[in-house]
Amino acid sequence: MTVDVKNEIKRLIDEINEHNYNYYVLAQPTISDYDFDQLLERLIYLEKQYPEYLQPDSPSQRVGGQVINEFKAVAHSVPMLSLSNTYSKEEILAFDQRVRQLLPEQDIEYICELKFDGVSISLIYENGVLVQAITRGDGEKGDDVTQNVKTIKNVPLKIRGNDFPSSIIARGEIILPHKGFTQLNIQREENEEPLFANPRNAAAGSLKLQDSKIVAKRPLKSFIYNLISEHSAVSTQLESINTLKNWGFNTGDYYRLCKNIDQIWKFINEAEQKRNSLPFEIDGVVIKVNSLQQQIDLGYTAKSPRWAIAYKFKAEQAETNLISVDFQVGRTGVITPVANLKPVSLAGTTVKRASMHNADFISKLDVHIGDYVYVEKGGDIIPKIVGVNLNRRELFTEPVQFPEYCPECNTKLVNLPEEVAIICPNYDDCPPQIKGRLEHFISRKAMDIQTLGEGKIEVLYNYNLLNNVADFYDLTYDQILGLEKVITNPETLKTKKISFREKTAQNIIDAIQKSKERPFDKVLYGLGIKYVGETSAKQLAMHFSNIDNIINADYEQLMQVENVGEKVSESIINYFSSQSHIEIINRLKKAGLKFEIDESEKITGSIFQGKSIVVTGSFGTSQNRKYLEQQVVNNGGKLTSSVSSKTSFIVAGENMGPEKLKRATELNIPIISEEKFLEMIKGEETKTDN
């Protein structure tokens, strides 16, 4: 009986997956919706009765239902680099000339693809089955959104056919088509929820929902255009796309092989003309060298491949009336002017507010209240004023005046030497600065207290429960239970009621307690010291080992730290010269936060001093890999993710990426095993002990 059930489940999985492919990829349904639903219900019923036969490629996974408590950060085995942008035919011509100079006397072909305006995704398949989906993140690490991506109907849970390698990475974009975006915002408006600004934001927000059942109801779609594998039959980008298509991925038909600049420019013009009639958002065209071997030969810069470039469409502009200007205060005290505009449609959204950058910008444009101004979206995302229609200026209008005093705390503003920004120097008592630092402290890259987002910081500040970052660790369940407040979004002017019910209150307290496990460099970054970013916080933590050494360091000692320059050193000294800041540190110490690096992080040797090292491949578990990476840093080395001429050597585990291997071979970079690497460290430790 169980054998029959197992076979029946397998048959249903294969049949339903085939129908999904026909409907969502080929757009050629071969079964009615009713009959499809009957098959799926039958499968779900059998899987519930016999859970031991539930398969990872089962279409029942597309229904969702799993609740995700957190999205873990995962390292990309092959970095997801960004592309260089270009905005003119001349820049494309210069790109073509660079390629031909680097590949003299070779025939060059390009493939042009639409630049989808969505969320970049990396899909990892083992033995043909989807095992992980990772967002781009910062290019080195992204969020694991596997359960949510499994609900997207045209993402294959299992590769079609049987001619695929044991391991592949398929990369592309997750988008929300216009029709689905409109329906989603109509539904949100009916539910009195904030509207999404554009389809890209909606797609990104959907992938980060904790309930995959909700994600399953959103009509997200994938376009896949990049294959990373050791598939010997693939030698060009065009072959990669066709291979992906044969394996069941949705590649679309929005690409063309081009042999020269004229053909490239023709494709760009056609794409721009059809842009507004497409069922989804695009913001340009990607131009790639077609030959994969030529891509390897061209290689990479520190940030982007030399074999590809993105042509970005010029931002759409609109003309509208400037009603007034607000002056917002950021967490570091910088005053940013924001224009209030007569609502105008721009790039698919209604724009009511736009950035005016700073005082110099206002002065240069000579903007007056009541002017008709030109607005565009920078990168098609952030609205900004780019000009004034002087022909429509009325008589006796007043120029926009930058305030002398802080609009929030009435402190006299200052213009720091050698800086464009005008700031409020009232660091400790200006409300927006306080709230900004509190929000920075709980951010994912700092203390990662995500349960306190969505306006809750403002509520706790208004109830006088939070005034500095140390106050987080004095909060109690009883204090916050039952708190309620209606807050207004300054961008949309929509109101929202924030309530601290039992589950919310407990989740907040639990997350605050868990944050005490965050490492020293995250705590240091979370303090919000001006100019101290993630990288410099890490370098400071490694160099000084604990907070007291940083507090007591002088200017010269701080300047010795990598990535710490004059401005950062002066800012650190200024921050710790305040007794109130020292008191905050002491309270955080008492609360149990980590203010020194763990023993495992301490620099124990200098064997790799001045060396750049890449750790790549599989080493059994992620902890094993993390240990090897930590040993590079502990022994004075610089850990990098990409192979370049500056790479000293590579520590390789199983399944080293083919691109890294070819690049290393090309540059004659040594590749050593995990065992050899550990022997080097052990030898250094023995030498040190003697």
Side-chain angles (χ1 to χ4, degrees):
M1 175 63 182
T2 55
V3 174
D4 292 340
V5 169
K6 183 178 180 180
N7 290 334
E8 173 68 0
I9 288 175
K10 184 180 183 308
R11 184 192 68 78
L12 286 168
I13 288 174
D14 291 342
E15 183 177 352
I16 295 170
N17 279 337
E18 186 69 17
H19 288 310
N20 269 326
Y21 172 73
N22 291 335
Y23 187 91
Y24 292 105
V25 178
L26 300 182
Q28 297 174 354
T30 55
I31 188 175
S32 70
D33 289 348
Y34 174 80
D35 289 339
F36 179 87
D37 290 341
Q38 293 298 304
L39 289 173
L40 186 59
E41 286 182 16
R42 171 67 176 163
L43 174 63
I44 292 172
Y45 170 78
L46 290 176
E47 287 176 339
K48 285 182 178 179
Q49 297 298 313
Y50 301 90
E52 65 271 23
Y53 296 142
L54 178 63
Q55 300 298 314
D57 65 324
S58 171
S60 64
Q61 301 297 292
R62 299 195 187 279
V63 178
Q66 182 167 336
V67 176
I68 306 158
N69 294 322
E70 63 175 336
F71 295 93
K72 295 181 179 178
V74 180
H76 292 291
S77 59
V78 178
M80 294 185 75
L81 300 180
S82 57
L83 297 178
S84 298
N85 291 330
T86 180
Y87 297 88
S88 69
K89 187 175 182 178
E90 290 72 25
E91 290 175 329
I92 295 174
L93 182 61
F95 164 71
D96 177 59
Q97 289 172 343
R98 287 195 300 271
V99 169
R100 295 183 187 278
Q101 286 171 0
L102 291 168
L103 300 173
E105 300 181 8
Q106 294 189 35
D107 292 331
I108 308 294
E109 287 184 331
Y110 297 102
I111 186 161
C112 292
E113 306 167 2
L114 295 187
K115 188 174 183 297
F116 302 103
D117 193 11
V119 181
S120 296
I121 200 74
S122 184
L123 306 174
I124 301 169
Y125 290 80
E126 299 290 346
N127 299 316
V129 177
L130 176 65
V131 295
Q132 197 167 49
I134 311 171
T135 62
R136 181 183 183 279
D138 61 5
E140 301 290 337
K141 291 182 178 179
D143 289 327
D144 186 328
V145 290
T146 308
Q147 294 305 318
N148 285 344
V149 167
K150 281 185 174 182
T151 69
I152 301 173
K153 304 299 191 295
N154 71 352
V155 171
L157 300 180
K158 185 177 182 180
I159 298 174
R160 292 171 62 83
N162 52 21
D163 63 335
F164 46 80
S166 59
S167 178
I168 77 157
I169 300 174
R171 288 180 173 171
E173 298 281 318
I174 303 298
I175 66 157
L176 183 62
H178 290 308
K179 183 178 179 181
F181 172 70
T182 301
Q183 291 173 343
L184 180 59
N185 264 351
I186 290 173
Q187 185 179 28
R188 291 178 71 83
E189 190 168 27
E190 290 173 352
N191 296 336
E192 297 185 351
E193 296 175 318
L195 303 185
F196 284 115
N198 52 57
R200 187 190 183 283
N201 286 4
S206 298
L207 285 183
K208 295 303 293 291
L209 288 171
Q210 291 184 310
D211 189 346
S212 60
K213 186 174 288 186
I214 298 176
V215 184
K217 295 177 181 177
R218 295 191 175 177
L220 297 171
K221 189 173 184 178
S222 71
F223 281 103
I224 305 300
Y225 46 71
N226 189 28
L227 170 63
I228 301 173
S229 78
E230 296 181 354
H231 198 53
S232 57
V234 173
S235 61
T236 67
Q237 171 65 10
L238 184 57
E239 289 173 358
S240 293
I241 292 175
N242 289 331
T243 298
L244 287 165
K245 187 182 294 185
N246 291 336
W247 286 346
F249 291 93
N250 182 50
T251 60
D253 295 313
Y254 307 101
Y255 52 86
R256 183 181 300 166
L257 192 64
C258 298
K259 298 183 181 296
N260 54 51
I261 294 297
D262 289 339
Q263 291 181 5
I264 291 173
W265 196 244
K266 182 180 179 182
F267 181 86
I268 288 172
N269 286 333
E270 289 177 10
E272 192 157 19
Q273 290 171 9
K274 296 177 180 177
R275 179 184 184 186
N276 293 327
S277 62
L278 290 170
F280 46 78
E281 292 280 341
I282 62 170
D283 60 356
V285 169
V286 177
I287 304 143
K288 301 175 182 176
V289 171
N290 189 37
S291 165
L292 300 186
Q293 182 57 53
Q294 289 177 342
Q295 290 183 9
I296 294 167
D297 294 340
L298 289 165
Y300 301 80
T301 66
K303 295 183 178 179
S304 57
R306 291 191 180 93
W307 45 266
I309 197 167
Y311 175 84
K312 298 291 289 290
F313 296 140
K314 290 180 180 178
E316 292 184 34
Q317 282 191 1
E319 184 179 340
T320 189
N321 188 234
L322 173 63
I323 299 170
S324 63
V325 178
D326 293 333
F327 293 88
Q328 297 181 344
V329 187
R331 73 173 175 89
T332 59
V334 173
I335 310 298
T336 302
V338 179
N340 296 306
L341 306 168
K342 182 179 179 180
V344 62
S345 179
L346 178 62
T349 61
T350 299
V351 174
K352 300 177 183 178
R353 289 161 66 85
S355 170
M356 297 181 72
H357 303 294
N358 50 52
D360 284 356
F361 177 84
I362 291 174
S363 176
K364 183 178 179 180
L365 280 187
D366 185 29
V367 186
H368 288 215
I369 299 297
D371 273 348
Y372 281 85
V373 295
Y374 300 112
V375 186
E376 68 178 37
K377 285 191 174 183
D380 278 352
I381 298 174
I382 303 171
K384 59 184 179 181
I385 290 176
V386 294
V388 178
N389 186 348
L390 296 177
N391 294 325
R392 298 187 68 179
R393 176 173 289 173
E394 297 182 1
L395 294 174
F396 312 118
T397 57
E398 294 291 330
V400 175
Q401 296 289 340
F402 216 89
E404 292 185 38
Y405 295 89
C406 176
E408 296 288 343
C409 68
N410 208 34
T411 301
K412 187 171 178 60
L413 302 178
V414 297
N415 192 350
L416 298 179
E418 300 180 4
E419 287 198 21
V420 175
I422 293 176
I423 71 163
C424 170
N426 187 14
Y427 182 88
D428 290 315
D429 297 306
C430 182
Q433 294 190 58
I434 295 171
K435 287 185 280 188
R437 286 194 299 277
L438 293 170
E439 290 167 356
H440 171 76
F441 186 79
I442 68 167
S443 65
R444 195 183 73 177
K445 293 181 178 180
M447 301 307 291
D448 196 24
I449 311 175
Q450 296 297 296
T451 53
L452 269 171
E454 300 178 358
K456 296 184 180 71
I457 290 290
E458 183 175 347
V459 175
L460 294 173
Y461 174 80
N462 290 339
Y463 275 99
N464 203 32
L465 292 173
L466 290 179
N467 288 290
N468 61 63
V469 297
D471 290 339
F472 282 111
Y473 299 93
D474 291 336
L475 290 175
T476 65
Y477 175 83
D478 291 336
Q479 277 181 314
I480 64 177
L481 180 64
L483 295 182
E484 287 187 345
K485 193 170 184 66
V486 175
I487 63 172
T488 302
N489 185 316
E491 300 294 327
T492 63
L493 299 181
K494 289 185 176 291
T495 59
K496 182 178 182 179
K497 185 176 182 180
I498 304 292
S499 302
F500 290 76
R501 297 189 176 91
E502 289 88 347
K503 185 176 180 180
T504 300
Q506 190 59 56
N507 286 342
I508 289 170
I509 297 302
D510 290 345
I512 290 172
Q513 289 300 311
K514 185 174 176 56
S515 74
K516 295 178 181 180
E517 301 171 7
R518 299 289 279 174
F520 173 34
D521 64 291
K522 300 297 184 185
V523 180
L524 183 60
Y525 172 65
L527 293 177
I529 303 171
K530 193 174 184 179
Y531 305 130
V532 175
E534 282 186 277
T535 302
S536 51
K538 182 74 172 178
Q539 297 290 347
L540 286 161
M542 294 297 296
H543 185 90
F544 289 105
S545 296
N546 62 58
I547 192 68
D548 293 328
N549 289 339
I550 298 176
I551 292 172
N552 296 321
D554 59 26
Y555 180 82
E556 287 72 21
Q557 290 172 321
L558 289 166
M559 285 289 290
Q560 293 175 10
V561 181
E562 188 178 357
N563 294 314
V564 174
E566 295 178 6
K567 287 168 65 174
V568 179
S569 298
E570 290 172 359
S571 179
I572 292 169
I573 290 172
N574 182 58
Y575 181 87
F576 289 116
S577 66
S578 167
Q579 185 56 40
S580 65
H581 296 162
I582 298 299
E583 289 174 2
I584 289 172
I585 299 297
N586 290 334
R587 287 177 60 196
L588 291 174
K589 284 182 177 179
K590 188 175 180 181
L593 274 69
K594 294 183 178 181
F595 278 103
E596 62 180 7
I597 61 174
D598 293 335
E599 287 295 322
S600 63
E601 296 180 278
K602 291 183 178 178
I603 295 177
T604 56
S606 58
I607 185 174
F608 303 136
Q609 191 70 42
K611 297 183 183 296
S612 293
I613 300 168
V614 174
V615 179
T616 184
S618 174
F619 297 92
T621 68
S622 59
Q623 290 302 314
N624 289 353
R625 179 174 180 142
K626 185 177 180 182
Y627 173 78
L628 296 176
E629 292 174 340
Q630 192 65 58
Q631 289 304 310
V632 171
V633 178
N634 290 0
N635 286 275
K638 182 178 180 181
L639 187 68
T640 61
S641 58
S642 58
V643 179
S644 71
S645 58
K646 296 180 180 179
T647 303
S648 303
F649 63 86
I650 298 170
V651 184
E654 296 181 6
N655 301 318
M656 177 180 175
E659 292 186 21
K660 281 192 174 76
L661 179 59
K662 290 177 182 177
R663 184 73 172 149
T665 303
E666 174 191 343
L667 297 172
N668 292 320
I669 294 170
I671 300 174
I672 68 172
S673 65
E674 176 183 0
E675 291 73 22
K676 177 65 175 176
F677 177 75
L678 295 175
E679 284 176 13
M680 293 169 70
I681 296 171
K682 189 174 181 181
E684 174 71 2
E685 291 172 347
T686 303
K687 187 166 64 175
T688 304
D689 292 340
N690 293 336

